Amino acid sequence: MFEQLKNRPADSLLALIKAFQGDERSGKIDLGVGVYRDAMGRTPVMRAVKAAEQVLLETQESKKYLGPEGDLQFVRLLEPIIFGNAPKYAHRLAGIQTPGGSGALRLGAELIQTATPSAKVLLGTPSWPNHAPIFASARLDRKEYAFVDLTLQEIKFDSVVSALSSAGEGDVVLLHGCCHNPTGIDFTMEQWREITDLLVAHRLVPFIDLAYQGLGDGLEQDAAPTRMILDAVDEALIAYSCDKNFGLYRERVGALYVVARNADDVRRAESNMAALARVNWSMPPDHGAVVVRTILESPDMTAMWRAELEEMCRRVNGNRTALAAASPDLAFISRQRGLFSNLSMRRETAVALRANHGIYMADSGRMNLAGMQLADADTIVAALRAVGCLKS
Ligand code: LMR
């Protein structure tokens, strides 16, 4: 059987984790996979998470199955954070817990495939490298369009408008709700407004990937585009991740929400999401979700979490300012948001940065700004100059 299989390359982003660990040089800098690091270079368990885990250690009495929907109280408590208080579509909202944002994307893709297998998914490139494979695995056709010009570090808004305008009714538009991965370039609110109008006019279904809420400009600001779109459209999907904003990466904590047209459609969506979850992972892992629920049930722990998230957000934006100040060629980095910026570089350049300078970033030129220390800014700029990436 297994000799029929072809070897597949390791995921290049995840391969960076091992490559960095195996590098024995002391000055190495990890700008690779998207995890937050503090000023000591650690990816700490957040204080509120520790507090919640302590409570659970003392009070959790059972780990019996919850069902394919997972912890629905977790799903409900996230709603005001994502959608605000009492959104007008509250009665048209269905939700289910998923293993991370990837699980939500996969489940959403399968829901689309079940409902409208002929729907195309419009994907602006570059995008998170796992987006296209997830939709392909769910046997959905994709239509890719250029989202950004990396040389200019600008959105190609004409290309976005033309892709949406020529899409067919019922096609799905994958949108990064905030903190675009890999470019850090988000639409302006004016552009979001135009996109919303196009979604409505062409009867397209937005699939919003919201994986970094709170790490761009703050929880409320980062949710604003999502809320504006959901206020306007009839149907939508939202893949949410708590892995980054609660620092729960390996616990795999996420949720898939669907905005449907009416109560009947909500019930249909819910039953299909549960059935699809059942054949994929049966039931999602509980620990991370119950930690998030415990935090959100406690005003004190919620305040602790919000404060630490704000601290993380400030640190990332401080790193952006430091890097932008270190070279005029990198000024755009301070205008971008979230963990990532994507320099325009060839794969060989990223390889040379690793081999000759111990600086790890994705082969695509994506760098994780949360991985650096303020004091690293000059080292990074010197290395980028040495490999010919910067003029000044
Ligand atoms: C990233 O983009 O680095 C993270 O989302 C990790 C991953 O799964 O790719």
Side-chain angles (χ1 to χ4, degrees):
M1 179 190 285
F2 303 119
E3 72 185 18
Q4 312 300 327
L5 298 174
K6 290 194 193 73
N7 280 319
R8 302 222 265 175
D11 182 282
S12 62
L13 260 182
L14 302 185
L16 283 178
I17 300 175
K18 288 209 181 76
F20 184 79
Q21 279 167 354
D23 187 334
E24 284 173 2
R25 286 171 290 184
S26 58
K28 61 184 181 175
I29 300 173
D30 187 359
L31 309 178
V33 76
V35 297
Y36 173 81
R37 282 178 212 283
D38 66 12
M40 309 292 290
R42 298 167 308 201
T43 303
V45 179
M46 290 177 81
R47 293 188 286 274
V49 168
K50 278 279 185 206
E53 285 180 326
Q54 194 61 47
V55 169
L56 287 169
L57 191 64
E58 283 154 22
T59 60
Q60 193 176 45
E61 281 176 351
S62 174
K63 288 189 184 284
K64 66 179 191 287
Y65 290 131
L66 289 180
E69 308 82 1
D71 186 332
L72 284 176
Q73 179 66 357
F74 151 84
V75 173
R76 294 284 94 85
L77 287 171
L78 276 176
E79 286 177 9
I81 293 170
I82 308 171
F83 308 112
N85 289 318
K88 69 176 197 201
Y89 48 85
H91 60 292
R92 299 193 285 121
L93 202 53
I96 184 169
Q97 185 199 326
T98 57
S102 302
L105 285 163
R106 176 66 196 229
L107 196 66
E110 292 196 4
L111 189 67
I112 296 163
Q113 163 64 231
T114 309
T116 53
S118 61
K120 283 198 179 49
V121 179
L122 274 72
L123 190 59
T125 58
S127 199
W128 180 48
N130 211 16
H131 274 147
I134 286 176
F135 290 113
S137 300
R139 292 164 288 112
L140 285 172
D141 281 343
R142 279 105 39 232
K143 189 170 168 218
E144 298 193 355
Y145 63 91
F147 157 70
V148 93
D149 180 332
L150 286 183
T151 324
L152 298 176
Q153 291 289 325
E154 273 174 16
I155 291 179
K156 290 182 156 190
F157 199 61
D158 288 352
S159 149
V160 180
V161 171
S162 122
L164 269 61
S165 307
S166 56
E169 183 174 326
D171 281 349
V172 174
V173 185
L174 193 279
L175 294 162
H176 298 234
C178 66
C179 305
H180 186 271
N181 180 3
T183 68
I185 309 179
D186 290 330
F187 294 117
T188 62
M189 276 317 262
E190 190 45 46
Q191 289 171 330
W192 278 117
R193 232 166 261 127
E194 273 190 60
I195 288 170
T196 305
D197 291 345
L198 286 168
L199 292 169
V200 173
H202 296 275
R203 300 179 62 81
L204 307 175
V205 181
F207 192 163
I208 303 175
D209 185 357
L210 195 54
Y212 293 88
Q213 191 189 3
L215 286 158
D217 286 306
L219 283 169
E220 287 297 299
Q221 295 94 318
D222 293 352
T226 298
R227 294 178 191 174
M228 179 168 74
I229 289 176
L230 299 184
D231 269 340
V233 297
D234 286 343
E235 297 182 316
L237 298 97
I238 304 94
Y240 193 79
S241 174
C242 298
D243 292 340
K244 322 281 178 172
N245 57 6
F246 284 84
L248 282 162
Y249 311 92
R250 67 174 76 150
E251 301 292 357
R252 316 303 304 135
V253 197
L256 174 69
Y257 293 92
V258 158
V259 175
R261 282 183 316 165
N262 53 46
D264 284 344
D265 286 4
V266 167
R267 274 192 292 279
R268 277 191 270 268
E270 273 171 351
S271 68
N272 276 273
M273 290 196 289
L276 290 168
R278 176 71 170 146
V279 294
N280 273 298
W281 44 77
S282 184
M283 284 161 255
D286 177 66
H287 182 71
V290 75
V291 163
V292 171
R293 165 157 71 81
T294 306
I295 293 172
L296 298 179
E297 279 172 349
S298 149
D300 286 350
M301 281 189 247
T302 300
M304 204 192 293
W305 166 66
R306 282 177 178 268
E308 193 167 356
L309 181 60
E310 279 165 23
E311 211 175 289
M312 290 159 63
C313 182
R314 267 196 301 276
R315 204 186 103 72
V316 175
N317 288 335
N319 286 350
R320 287 188 171 280
T321 310
L323 206 51
S327 162
D329 285 352
L330 296 179
F332 60 86
I333 288 184
S334 66
R335 296 190 293 273
Q336 300 173 351
R337 281 295 173 270
L339 264 46
F340 310 112
S341 284
N342 204 146
L343 304 182
S344 170
M345 72 168 66
R346 287 145 48 94
R347 183 176 172 277
E348 298 80 69
T349 310
V351 172
L353 280 167
R354 290 203 282 280
N356 306 336
H357 302 275
I359 295 179
Y360 285 71
M361 59 176 76
D363 288 346
S364 61
R366 187 193 83 168
M367 56 204 303
N368 170 16
L369 280 308
M372 64 176 273
Q373 303 303 320
L374 287 177
D376 292 333
D378 289 336
T379 312
I380 295 170
V381 165
L384 289 171
R385 278 194 195 118
V387 296
C389 244
L390 301 180
K391 286 192 231 74
S392 48

